[in-house]
Amino acid sequence: MKRRHLILGGAAVATLGACGAPSKFKRYRGPEVTGVVVNKAERKMFLLSDSRVMKEYDVFLGFAPEGHKVMEGDGKTPEGVYRIDRRNPNSRFHLSLGISYPNAEDIRVATELGKSPGGEIFIHGQRHPMRKDSGDWTWGCIAVSNDEMENIYAMIKDGTPIAINP
């Protein structure tokens, strides 16, 4: 009888272990993402493989989306060409990919104004995992849904160029 309980108990533990929450870390085996384009006016982000659009996403931007980010706290999303330069699997916003803002020109302009250019600009997920965000709400980042962010995080490699257009 004890042997039967051990076998059934072991099977139950193995079965329950397989029932955990799905991982936020997905695998991607498709074509390489060679570039990202964000069109701020349209609130759209495109993942490209060479010149072909692979995916299109609706995005949220900084709470003051018009114009290029000039200084820390202005609520603007930068404009220009940058790179994805880091990953944050423990982001407050589900997952996030860092954007190489500020570049040398961004630093120069802010310094001439006696200001800090800011930094910590990311593509990231939602503020609240159970509620859908609405309107532009970030401090200059580019936000998508958490489900979309899981796919984007898997697809984009560090070093991928990102063009952020007005």
Side-chain angles (χ1 to χ4, degrees):
M1 187 72 149
K2 287 185 178 184
R3 183 173 188 194
R4 181 173 176 229
H5 286 165
L6 277 173
I7 292 170
L8 289 175
V13 168
T15 302
L16 289 174
C19 292
S23 173
K24 65 183 178 180
F25 301 106
K26 296 187 177 178
R27 293 188 189 269
Y28 175 69
R29 299 191 199 301
E32 180 182 5
V33 174
T34 57
V36 179
V37 174
V38 175
N39 291 336
K40 289 171 52 174
E42 300 169 14
R43 303 301 190 277
K44 295 284 185 185
M45 179 170 68
F46 304 93
L47 305 189
L48 308 174
S49 181
D50 297 319
S51 60
R52 185 176 64 89
V53 174
M54 296 171 37
K55 293 284 186 179
E56 176 182 328
Y57 299 95
D58 293 327
V59 298
F60 302 106
L61 302 171
F63 64 82
E66 300 285 320
H68 175 59
K69 183 169 197 61
V70 176
M71 66 186 121
E72 184 173 18
D74 66 6
K76 296 182 183 300
T77 301
E79 296 172 358
V81 178
Y82 301 94
R83 292 210 174 266
I84 301 301
D85 65 353
R86 62 201 179 279
R87 311 172 90 64
N88 184 356
N90 301 310
S91 172
R92 290 184 337 172
F93 303 101
H94 193 55
L95 294 169
S96 61
L97 296 171
I99 297 173
S100 63
Y101 175 87
N103 61 27
E105 179 64 10
D106 298 322
I107 293 168
R108 185 191 66 74
V109 169
T111 301
E112 285 180 358
L113 295 171
K115 303 287 184 180
S116 165
E120 299 299 312
I121 302 296
F122 289 86
I123 300 170
H124 61 67
Q126 299 163 215
R127 283 183 286 201
H128 307 287
M130 299 306 199
R131 292 195 317 235
K132 293 288 184 195
D133 290 315
S134 62
D136 293 317
W137 58 269
T138 76
W139 283 87
C141 295
I142 299 161
V144 295
S145 75
N146 287 350
D147 288 340
E148 292 169 332
M149 191 62 221
E150 289 175 5
N151 292 326
I152 293 165
Y153 193 89
M155 295 173 75
I156 298 176
K157 295 178 182 175
D158 288 358
T160 302
I162 178 170
I164 306 171
N165 302 317

